[in-house]
Amino acid sequence: MIAEEPHLTLRLARDDRDLRAAQRLRYRVFVTELGGDGELVDHDRQLERDAFDPLFDHLLLIDDRRDAAALDDVVGVYRLLPGERVGPAGRFYSEGEYDLSPLKHSGRRLLELGRSCVHPDYRGGTAMFHLWNGLADYVATHGAEVLFGTASFHGADIAALAQPLSYLHHNHLAPKALRVTARPGDGQRMDLLPPEAIDRRQAMLATPALIKAYLRLGGCVGEGAWIDRAFNTTDVCLVMDTAQMSARQRALYARRPAQAS
């Protein structure tokens, strides 16, 4: 329970019902709202699923005033995968789009993030703040050193995203030791414009809030973008080295304690 908002609870999914409630919110956001699809998406039951769900922990923000039986109570979700759970023979979700060799060979403790979304009625409030606090607790509990995962621009028209993608490439490219690279095929160059042709204000206005939040925390991006045609998005791979976060960034990341158990 969150002290200042007692109707909200932040915790990890405990059972199949919790997972289905998370998948129902994801369906509302990624499928209904943004037009995405996928091999395992269940349109009849309105569940956005994939083969990686059983591996991940699912951080949930729950509004106890909403109907749990109708899977309507989860209003925010974050999907979390500690690197040790993948194992030597497994792979991360992001590996379908990016070569993660620099991260996997770094010897650092990794945590993959993904499928973050908030119910439309809760955007602009404290929902994302609570999820960030829960993520900070999870990172501390698991000793994660490098956080990474794909984040999306809506739409697959690379030319329309030339300003923000070029800005990210020229100003926030990951250091070589952590620089993942978009795979061939649907991988696309991000340096579409030279630095002098970039309008920073226009680039920032076109950048989703979640990506900007990672940048404020010292996050950076891999080399190249990936066109996810099933979800009608253009993805970038965000990487954040927690050891490089400044004191100010740490304060933004975990301003108050939150429990995820």
Side-chain angles (χ1 to χ4, degrees):
M1 186 179 296
I2 296 168
E4 69 277 15
E5 296 179 285
H7 54 281
L8 295 179
T9 300
L10 185 69
R11 62 173 174 81
L12 297 180
R14 297 171 178 163
D15 52 30
D16 184 63
R17 191 225 73 94
D18 282 353
L19 176 57
R20 285 186 287 113
Q23 292 168 336
R24 173 66 54 78
L25 176 63
R26 284 162 35 186
Y27 187 95
R28 175 170 189 155
V29 174
F30 297 127
V31 179
T32 303
E33 188 175 341
L34 297 178
D37 204 349
E39 291 182 3
L40 296 181
V41 171
D42 187 334
H43 293 287
D44 292 332
R45 295 195 297 166
Q46 297 188 348
L47 303 176
E48 192 278 298
R49 310 179 301 166
D50 70 20
F52 287 83
D53 275 334
L55 275 179
F56 278 78
D57 284 329
H58 302 263
L59 178 64
L60 310 179
L61 183 65
I62 297 170
D63 188 336
D64 298 328
R65 301 169 300 182
R66 301 176 70 96
D67 189 350
L71 306 180
D72 191 44
D73 56 330
V74 171
V75 298
V77 64
Y78 231 126
R79 196 167 76 162
L80 313 169
L81 179 60
E84 60 269 20
R85 196 174 296 170
V86 175
R91 69 185 185 98
F92 292 100
Y93 172 83
S94 305
E95 285 187 88
E97 302 182 2
Y98 284 84
D99 179 357
L100 302 181
S101 298
L103 301 184
K104 297 177 78 172
H105 296 156
S106 69
R108 311 283 298 282
R109 294 178 68 88
L110 305 178
L111 177 65
E112 184 176 35
L113 314 176
R115 290 297 198 274
S116 173
C117 61
V118 172
H119 190 287
D121 293 346
Y122 294 76
R123 294 173 194 164
T126 61
M128 201 65 215
F129 176 84
H130 294 313
L131 287 170
W132 275 102
N133 273 265
L135 173 60
D137 279 352
Y138 189 96
V139 167
T141 298
H142 289 267
E145 298 173 283
V146 178
L147 283 54
F148 72 96
T150 57
S152 302
F153 290 84
H154 184 52
D157 182 353
I158 198 77
L161 298 171
Q163 284 281 346
L165 292 179
S166 298
Y167 179 82
L168 290 176
H169 175 88
H170 290 300
N171 295 277
H172 296 283
L173 195 61
K176 195 68 175 178
L178 299 177
R179 191 178 302 169
V180 303
T181 306
R183 294 189 179 279
D186 285 317
Q188 300 285 329
R189 294 176 64 94
M190 292 172 62
D191 55 341
L192 304 171
L193 299 172
E196 62 273 14
I198 297 171
D199 181 329
R200 183 184 183 281
R201 183 175 182 276
Q202 181 182 338
M204 286 293 94
L205 286 173
T207 300
L210 182 63
I211 296 177
K212 288 189 282 194
Y214 278 111
L215 298 181
R216 286 194 295 271
L217 293 172
C220 47
V221 298
E223 181 84 38
W226 175 270
I227 308 301
D228 187 337
R229 303 192 188 282
F231 272 85
N232 188 34
T233 61
T234 299
D235 299 345
V236 296
C237 190
L238 291 157
V239 181
M240 188 164 66
D241 184 346
T242 60
Q244 298 301 315
M245 293 172 67
S246 67
R248 178 178 176 275
Q249 289 164 338
R250 289 182 184 277
L252 287 170
Y253 176 55
R255 195 169 298 162
R256 288 188 304 224
Q259 298 301 317
S261 57

